[in-house]
Amino acid sequence: MSSRAEKDHYIINGGNPLSGEVVIGGAKNAALAIIAASIMTDETVTIENIPDVRDTNVMMEAMEGIGVKIKRVDRHTIEVNGSCVENVNIDTENIRKIRASYYLLGALLGKYCHAEVPLPGGCDIGSRPIDQHVKGFKALGAKVTIERGIMKATAEKLNAAHIYMDVVTVGATINVMLAAVMAEGRTIIENAAKEPHVVDVANFLNSMGANIKGAGTDVIRIRGVSRLHACTYSVIPDQIEAGTFMFAAAITRGDILVKNVIPKHLESISAKLEEIGCDVEEFDDAVRVTANGIIEATHIKTLPYPGYPTDMQPQAGVALALAKGVSTITESIFENRFRYVDELTRMGAHIRVEGNTAIIDGTDGLTGAHISAPDLRAGAALALAALAADGTTIIDDVRFIERGYEDFDQKIRDLGGDIIKTDDVKQEIKRSKFRVV
Ligand code: UD1
């Protein structure tokens, strides 16, 4: 065991097929934007189905740091009142931790015509430019500067604009939507991202009195309104949490009913699972994935929605590492998303990365190892690999996984997986049946 073992670890004993039911929580990436957007009215907004994960909690703490009042009604419901924002210059430890803090730029700029926010952190999955956010804000009439790591956007008044996004970006589409909601006139965003959470944020803003049409298509039209008002809104289910548990069934040769989902949002994932030999049964708000036989090889390319999501790429990589034959995965959104490959190789996978393509030669089985979670989705995928592996796996740095998955280890235990979370690996190994690797 390496000296890396200090805290935030999973110990996983592989071999149990996961089976049973799992209930999916609210979409992290929708919730983050919606929580930020809720300050755009001075009235109290109620948001339901917020996942209780590290990123949403950090976002709320950061907002409280600038005077926003947030009442936790229950574990998944909050009331937000943004009438007491004291400061549009946000520079706190918290805000630097998460990428989605940039939504406060759009929200504050849209409401106060002024915002100062440090440039985002988040998962290290490749260079993450913000030129399209800047381009959109400028088109709406804001002066944008970046100094000492802080982006400052300021305008006397925001005016509608016709904006053509050079790349399909979820973040910039949502941010420009936020900034344009109260700009005078009709803003048009072309080549907009069509992800379910873009639609969810638009629906939320419309519930607050905005006039946004076309979200979910590549042209979004926003007629500026003079003010927004209170509303109660429930965040959509998390497409990626759902997809992760769907792949958990494939990887462990299990049978999982994934509940509280919108099957339409999962179509690209369901299609790949069927292609590799799983049965996928759709219900109104659930999908059941059953994997009995061998996993077949396939080819995957990540694309903007409705294509196969980049956030589901590592989970597919693990499944294909266990497939019969040679598969390829081409990552076309972020260049640094194969950081799980080295760890998976240590578990016995045969994967070669050439440029933005991983060539995966399937193997019969993986073996437990001491590994670490390189980022949120890669970490979750490696946990699934460990559940299918022979023997014990120790995963370090699982705080990354907790950025986006609520009760991840508990949900896996409820499905029959042998996983515990511990601060003290040595102690846990001593008193348990785990075989030390
Ligand atoms: C969001 C998600 C992330 C997901 C990604 C793609 C959040 C908090 N994160 O990230 O989990 O992996 O969508 O579905 O919601 N780009 C530019 N210029 C810009 C902005 C983006 O060139 O100004 C490029 C990026 O480098 C990337 C592509 O556009 O290649 C897509 O990025 P984007 O959709 O903006 O991702 P995020 O919003 O950062």
Side-chain angles (χ1 to χ4, degrees):
M1 207 187 324
S2 88
S3 59
R4 285 182 298 175
E6 271 155 14
K7 52 182 187 148
D8 81 275
H9 319 273
Y10 288 151
I11 306 180
I12 297 173
N13 215 15
N16 298 354
L18 297 193
S19 69
E21 298 181 0
V22 61
V23 179
I24 298 307
K28 170 186 83 88
N29 289 344
L32 287 166
I34 287 173
I35 295 169
S38 65
I39 62 152
M40 296 189 76
T41 171
D42 283 345
E43 298 175 18
T44 299
V45 170
T46 304
I47 314 170
E48 300 165 346
N49 208 28
I50 303 265
D52 181 14
V53 293
R54 195 165 299 202
D55 275 12
T56 52
N57 288 317
V58 169
M59 184 74 160
M60 288 189 263
E61 281 162 30
M63 285 167 56
E64 285 171 324
I66 55 163
V68 177
K69 297 269 175 289
I70 302 182
K71 183 173 158 202
R72 273 86 170 163
V73 179
D74 61 39
R75 189 174 182 199
H76 300 120
T77 306
I78 57 170
E79 286 174 2
V80 186
N81 187 293
S83 63
C84 330
V85 173
E86 292 149 1
N87 200 344
V88 290
N89 175 354
I90 304 181
D91 190 5
T92 63
E93 181 69 11
N94 275 333
I95 215 69
R96 288 177 179 272
K97 283 188 201 155
I98 51 168
R99 180 157 183 85
S101 56
Y102 59 37
Y103 289 136
L104 287 169
L105 265 169
L108 290 169
L109 178 66
K111 187 179 183 195
Y112 299 109
C113 287
H114 188 85
E116 290 180 38
V117 178
L119 291 178
C123 277
D124 178 16
I125 53 177
S127 90
R128 297 178 84 167
I130 47 162
D131 55 302
Q132 299 304 303
H133 303 240
V134 173
K135 171 174 151 166
F137 293 154
K138 281 186 175 165
L140 295 168
K143 185 166 174 277
V144 183
T145 54
I146 299 174
E147 273 172 35
R148 295 185 188 84
I150 293 175
M151 192 203 275
K152 195 195 254 189
T154 184
E156 298 231 322
K157 180 170 165 284
L158 294 167
N159 289 309
H162 193 142
I163 301 157
Y164 198 102
M165 294 288 175
D166 297 327
V167 288
V168 178
T169 135
V170 174
T173 301
I174 293 178
N175 231 344
V176 172
M177 212 158 70
L178 297 177
V181 148
M182 289 187 273
E184 200 170 304
R186 193 171 72 144
T187 295
I188 299 176
I189 307 175
E190 305 233 31
N191 199 25
K194 296 179 277 201
E195 267 69 0
H197 41 298
V198 174
V199 180
D200 207 35
V201 178
N203 287 342
F204 170 69
L205 290 167
N206 284 343
S207 307
M208 286 208 293
N211 184 345
I212 304 174
K213 296 205 164 76
T217 75
D218 51 17
V219 184
I220 298 180
R221 293 185 169 79
I222 305 162
R223 172 127 359 236
V225 295
S226 56
R227 62 180 288 278
L228 298 176
H229 54 68
C231 74
T232 296
Y233 193 82
S234 185
V235 175
I236 50 165
D238 198 303
Q239 175 203 25
I240 307 301
E241 187 194 14
T244 301
F245 281 100
M246 291 165 76
F247 263 92
I251 291 165
T252 66
R253 310 292 206 276
D255 179 354
I256 304 181
L257 182 66
V258 184
K259 293 169 78 170
N260 186 34
V261 299
I262 299 174
K264 174 84 192 146
H265 294 168
L266 303 170
E267 277 173 354
S268 65
I269 299 164
S270 300
K272 278 296 157 198
L273 285 165
E274 282 176 340
E275 245 172 75
I276 64 172
C278 298
D279 285 334
V280 182
E281 207 179 337
E282 269 186 22
F283 303 92
D284 286 349
D285 61 356
V287 286
R288 179 178 173 189
V289 181
T290 317
N292 293 318
I294 48 170
I295 298 177
E296 303 287 350
T298 192
H299 304 289
I300 294 181
K301 183 173 184 181
T302 62
L303 287 169
Y305 190 83
Y308 188 87
T310 174
D311 284 358
M312 284 301 305
Q313 189 262 97
Q315 301 87 324
V318 171
L320 297 179
L322 290 162
K324 182 172 153 268
V326 178
S327 305
T328 58
I329 297 185
T330 301
E331 171 57 61
S332 69
I333 312 285
F334 294 112
E335 75 269 23
N336 205 6
R337 268 216 128 146
F338 287 126
R339 290 166 75 228
Y340 65 96
V341 164
D342 285 350
E343 304 296 275
L344 204 53
T345 302
R346 300 178 59 225
M347 298 177 74
H350 304 300
I351 307 179
R352 196 172 80 244
V353 177
E354 283 180 10
N356 65 344
T357 298
I359 300 138
I360 306 170
D361 191 0
T363 170
D364 283 346
L366 298 170
T367 47
H370 190 160
I371 56 174
S372 65
D375 61 61
L376 164 59
R377 306 303 172 186
L382 289 168
L384 302 187
L387 288 161
D390 180 33
T392 303
T393 296
I394 296 166
I395 307 185
D396 297 339
D397 301 332
V398 302
R399 64 184 179 283
F400 284 118
I401 300 174
E402 292 175 350
R403 289 185 47 185
Y405 291 90
E406 182 180 306
D407 298 338
F408 188 62
D409 53 328
Q410 184 59 51
K411 286 182 178 181
I412 289 173
R413 274 192 297 280
D414 291 346
L415 292 166
D418 195 343
I419 176 171
I420 56 160
K421 190 179 167 218
T422 179
D423 282 350
D424 190 342
V425 172
K426 278 188 191 149
Q427 192 57 31
E428 207 53 58
I429 294 274
K430 239 190 251 167
R431 71 164 168 249
S432 73
K433 60 184 166 38
F434 291 114
R435 275 172 282 151
V436 185
V437 285

